[in-house]
């Protein structure tokens, strides 16, 4: 059965590239014409947005396979499997920085190729679904009228919507990375002293916490809001 996902082979040894292309086609995948250089790979990726790229580390041209893979992953969200005859430490360390989905050492066995491709495509599809879900949540949270601030487990801000920016006086860019107690600062309306922060309490106890009746929010410019 034909798989509708697209694979690009980047390999400057023509015979090896053609053999990989035929093998992948026999497995049922849609395979583009092989590329021998970074420029060829980027041109084909721009036209077809491949789901997976089998990337030789040593290719023609000034840019090697690792640098090319980094560009393709960033711009086309393609999964990457490196193909190489060189499994030395420095090469692997460089390759790891691009977060590849696999690493195959030549000569490549069909069984290893099949499993590497299946796993890489599965991981890529999972990552795409997660990114789509994150974008959907982000769009939804940005559009609602209530102020929303999210944090990591370290209680530092990771996201603010427009309403939260207006309420606190912080922009999302400025607030990101700051402790929640700095951005959502609660003080006593009379004494102006810091109070137990309901946001921190909610995060630590994993439940909704009511704001104390005497508390107000101190905005970034020093003004106060209910």
């Amino acid at each position: 059965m034909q798989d509708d996902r697209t694979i690009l082979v980047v390999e400057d040894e023509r015979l090896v590239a053609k053999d990989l292309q035929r093998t992948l086609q026999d497995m049922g995948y849609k395979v583009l014409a092989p590329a021998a250089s970074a420029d060829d790979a980027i041109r084909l990726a721009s036209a077809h947005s491949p789901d997976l790229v089998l990337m030789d580390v040593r290719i023609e041209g000034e840019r090697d396979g690792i640098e090319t893979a980094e560009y393709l992953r960033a711009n086309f969200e393609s999964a990457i499997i490196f193909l190489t005859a060189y499994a030395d430490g420095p090469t692997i360390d460089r390759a790891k920085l691009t977060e590849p989905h696999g690493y195959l050492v030549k000569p490549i066995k069909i069984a290893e190729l099949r499993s590497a491709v299946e796993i890489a495509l599965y991981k890529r599809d999972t990552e795409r679904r997660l990114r789509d879900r994150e974008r959907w949540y982000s769009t939804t949270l940005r559009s609602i009228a209530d102020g929303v601030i999210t944090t990591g487990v370290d209680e530092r801000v990771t996201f603010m919507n427009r309403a939260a920016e207006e309420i606190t006086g912080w922009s999302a860019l400025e607030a990101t990375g700051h402790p929640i107690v700095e951005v959502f600062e609660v003080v006593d309306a009379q004494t102006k002293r810091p109070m137990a922060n309901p946001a921190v309490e909610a995060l630590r106890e994993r439940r909704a916490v009511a704001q104390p009746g005497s508390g107000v929010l101190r905005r970034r410019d020093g003004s106060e809001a209910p």
Side-chain angles (χ1 to χ4, degrees):
M1 184 175 66
Q2 182 72 28
D3 192 300
D4 61 357
R5 290 169 296 184
T6 304
I7 299 177
L8 170 63
V9 176
V10 185
E11 166 66 67
D12 61 358
E13 294 183 38
R14 289 343 192 244
L15 292 177
V16 174
K18 284 293 184 183
D19 184 55
L20 283 169
Q21 183 186 28
R22 284 193 298 267
T23 300
L24 291 166
Q25 287 172 336
D26 290 343
M27 292 179 186
Y29 294 107
K30 180 181 177 182
V31 187
L32 302 175
S37 67
D39 290 343
D40 289 342
I42 292 170
R43 175 178 54 79
L44 286 166
S46 299
H48 301 283
S49 295
D51 298 283
L52 172 64
V53 179
L54 299 184
M55 176 69 69
D56 188 13
V57 171
R58 305 287 178 88
I59 57 176
E60 294 177 0
E62 295 181 0
R63 284 183 285 191
D64 67 4
I66 296 175
E67 186 179 352
T68 306
E70 186 174 15
Y71 180 90
L72 296 179
R73 183 165 170 78
N75 289 275
F76 304 102
E77 299 183 350
S78 301
I80 303 294
I81 295 177
F82 283 114
L83 314 173
T84 184
Y86 307 92
D88 58 281
T91 299
I92 292 176
D93 288 341
R94 278 190 64 216
K96 285 193 296 186
L97 295 177
T98 66
E99 300 181 357
H101 292 71
Y103 199 98
L104 292 173
V105 179
K106 298 176 183 178
I108 297 166
K109 298 176 181 178
I110 293 178
E112 293 176 352
L113 176 64
R114 183 189 300 275
S115 59
V117 167
E118 289 179 358
I119 291 171
L121 287 171
Y122 174 80
K123 289 175 63 178
R124 192 259 186 185
D125 291 345
T126 300
E127 290 169 358
R128 171 172 280 183
R129 286 194 295 270
L130 288 173
R131 281 194 297 269
D132 289 344
R133 187 179 303 171
E134 288 171 359
R135 291 183 186 120
W136 184 86
Y137 279 128
S138 178
T139 300
T140 301
L141 292 175
R142 289 182 191 280
S143 65
I144 64 177
D146 293 322
V148 177
I149 304 174
T150 68
T151 76
V153 294
D154 58 0
E155 298 174 6
R156 292 180 179 272
V157 174
T158 57
F159 170 86
M160 292 177 65
N161 69 352
R162 181 63 59 84
E165 290 179 322
E166 293 175 356
I167 293 167
T168 63
W170 288 74
S171 72
L173 183 63
E174 293 169 332
T176 298
H178 282 267
I180 185 65
V181 292
E182 291 182 13
V183 178
F184 191 81
E185 184 183 3
V186 180
V187 298
D188 187 280
Q190 302 302 319
T191 67
K192 310 305 179 186
R193 293 177 181 173
M195 299 180 64
N197 194 299
V200 173
E201 203 174 333
L203 287 166
R204 293 177 181 174
E205 297 186 15
R206 297 179 181 274
R207 64 180 181 85
V209 177
Q211 166 90 14
S214 61
V216 294
L217 176 70
R218 179 180 287 159
R219 306 175 76 249
R220 192 177 188 193
D221 63 4
S223 61
E224 296 174 356

